[in-house]
Amino acid sequence: MALTRVKFEEWYPDQPHLLGALKDAKNVIPTTTGYTYFNDKEAISNSAAQNLIRVFPAKFGTQTQLFAASTSKLFKYSSADLDLDDVSKLSGGSPGSYTTTDRWSFTQFGTKLLCANKQDRVQAWTIGSSSNFADLDASAPTAHYITVVRDFVVCARDNSNPSKVFWSDINDETDWTPATTSQSDTQIIPDGGNILGITGGEFGLVLLERGIHRMSYIGSPFYFQFDNISRGIGCFAEGSITQYGQITFFLSDDGFYMCNGSQVTPIGTQKVDRFFFNDLNSASLSNLSAAVDPINKLVIWCYPNNNDEQALLIYNWQIQKWSRAIVDVDFISTGSIPSVTLEGLDLYSSSIDDLTTSLDSRLWVGGNYALAGVKDDKIVTFTGNKLSGEIVTGDIDMQGNSIINLARPLVENGSANVSVASRIAPSDTITFPDYVSPSSENRVPLRAVGRFHRVKVQPTGDNWDSAVAIDLEVNKLGTR
């Protein structure tokens, strides 16, 4: 009898699995030593008047507010009754409608939540006093993208020039008129194609189709300097851009990258890039969205795949490992809600026992950022039940025909169902039989004969936390 321990290493779908890379890591999150669970979506709002396409939080002092957008409306989440109230710009004394758009861009500047929709003037909401959005100012631009760089509100791309960047006066989001007394100005970026997004902070990054420019404040008389830090590597889809700290993540036409403002680094090369482009329903590229899960140190891309599913591609930037998930959600973002009292939990569930989101979740504390999104006309958070995880190993080759008789899953606070697909030649069809459940002693009886064995593991148990490996009893078979 030979005992073989197979660790759950990295998922590299772009690599040949004859070399041992995991074949799949589905509905799980990568960790240093293995994989942990990923939670399903959970609705936290009532239905809006329209289907939603975006969600965004705003915070100032002790106040936390959550907003959502449809193609033509803006809504505010009410923690008092979970309704999504129409707070669009007033028209004739009632909330009106905006010009239809496929995507909104949000940012916060002090007490102001600002948003752009490609068609109307930048909209503004003052935390603590506004009851409806309104035009930021009569001079405010129409823009595709909006962010904050140092002490300036910065917009990019209007309908007259797809390569234009323009910014407000210093510490004055209402002044957009260039003048001798104002630092407001514009810049046309002549190379790199159309602008597809912009991120901010101490410096700005302008992401174009075929390049990236860094936007740095230099003071009078030019105010900002634009340096090309990437020529040829640009952004493939506006919805792929997301930011954490000073790191911007995005999809280029050849795969996934991150940029720290001076260096552009590939993160998906020979790992997941080919898998993604093969899995993506390219006709629905405009529905791509990206967000950061600050709790689990993840950046996640949500996209429609070729199986008519909403797929998540998950990257842990600290340990540089990938996984994936299938969740029925339309758009992902980072969200935050006001704190919820014990009595307030009645709004979310009539019984604490039926409450899917754990009472220990940071979500209830209020003001904490967490992964969120929208599904149809509701806001969701990823605090629901644990999704059914699935980890599939690469091929286990004992240098000859062998038989697997037994498996012992190594799953913290749980166990796993196991299935083994065995074959004689690499070209043989891979077929997994039904899962075999573990005994109370964590033993999974098997009988799988072949030269190449691929093991599929489904972690089980309400409290399972980390799947790290599986021990297999493998015996070589004699030859004639």
Side-chain angles (χ1 to χ4, degrees), residues 89-167:
K89 177 182 174 180
L90 293 177
S91 176
S94 301
S97 295
Y98 297 100
T99 308
T100 300
T101 185
D102 62 345
R103 191 175 294 268
W104 289 79
S105 177
F106 287 83
T107 195
Q108 185 175 335
F109 187 73
T111 61
K112 294 281 185 67
L113 176 65
L114 308 175
C115 51
N117 73 342
K118 305 181 180 181
Q119 304 293 333
D120 299 282
R121 290 193 186 278
V122 171
Q123 296 294 289
W125 172 283
T126 301
I127 301 171
S129 63
S130 288
S131 55
N132 287 87
F133 278 89
D135 289 353
L136 172 61
D137 187 78
S139 66
T142 296
H144 286 221
Y145 315 110
I146 188 168
T147 190
V148 173
V149 179
R150 290 179 60 118
D151 302 314
F152 300 82
V153 177
V154 180
C155 291
R157 186 171 176 174
D158 62 16
N159 291 328
S160 66
N161 194 323
S163 304
K164 183 179 180 180
V165 179
F166 31 107
W167 56 91

Side-chain angles (χ1 to χ4, degrees), residues 450-473:
R451 171 160 182 172
F452 301 97
H453 306 283
R454 194 168 290 184
V455 183
K456 183 164 64 173
V457 177
Q458 181 186 61
T460 59
D462 293 340
N463 298 315
W464 86 268
D465 182 68
S466 184
V468 297
I470 187 167
D471 286 339
L472 301 172
E473 184 181 299

